[in-house]
Amino acid sequence: QVQLVESGGGLVQAGGSLRLSCVASGINFRRIFIINAMGWYRQAPGKQRELVAAATSGGRTNYADSVKGRFTLSRDNAKNTLYLQMNSLEPEDTAVYYCNVNSSYGSHWGQGTQVTVSS
């Protein structure tokens, strides 16, 4: 069973930084042939869940236009962990952030971590 556990959210002032982590169990990040994509999504109150950043098995990383140049997606295969480095945070980045791994076993989501950016 694949499980994803996010951490690293919190309250930060505008202009600040946070790094989110997503630790996966039940799936091995080194087994790239079964992973289609992995990334981060977010959902603000009253809004739909949206893509923040995702890396595909083909090696491409896609970022939402609103976070390009500020957020960076990375992974540590040895630790089975996905990261999202968020710099120059803005109040509009306030949301619950979810980790997602899309694999041959299905699409898996974490429980989410709250990020709140104060102005």
Side-chain angles (χ1 to χ4, degrees):
Q1 182 179 0
V2 178
Q3 290 187 323
L4 306 175
V5 179
E6 302 104 329
S7 62
L11 174 63
V12 63
Q13 288 188 333
S17 298
L18 285 173
R19 188 177 79 156
L20 304 183
S21 300
C22 171
V23 179
S25 59
I27 191 168
N28 188 336
F29 281 10
R30 289 191 176 97
R31 298 184 66 190
I32 58 174
F33 54 90
I34 66 167
I35 295 177
N36 301 316
M38 56 174 63
W40 291 89
Y41 291 72
R42 68 186 181 187
Q43 187 166 17
K47 295 188 177 181
Q48 289 188 330
R49 191 173 297 188
E50 63 176 1
L51 171 71
V52 176
T56 68
S57 58
R60 180 185 299 271
T61 300
N62 299 312
Y63 292 93
D65 288 342
S66 60
V67 308
K68 284 180 181 177
R70 300 189 297 122
F71 290 11
T72 303
L73 182 69
S74 63
R75 61 195 273 184
D76 185 331
N77 288 343
K79 295 182 178 180
N80 243 27
T81 301
L82 185 69
Y83 301 101
L84 183 68
Q85 178 66 45
M86 306 187 295
N87 298 328
S88 301
L89 283 161
E90 303 169 354
E92 292 74 22
D93 296 317
T94 295
V96 178
Y97 284 70
Y98 297 91
C99 176
N100 174 263
V101 173
N102 189 304
S103 74
S104 300
Y105 304 137
S107 183
H108 314 283
W109 295 90
Q111 82 288 349
T113 185
Q114 176 70 47
V115 172
T116 302
V117 184
S118 63
S119 56

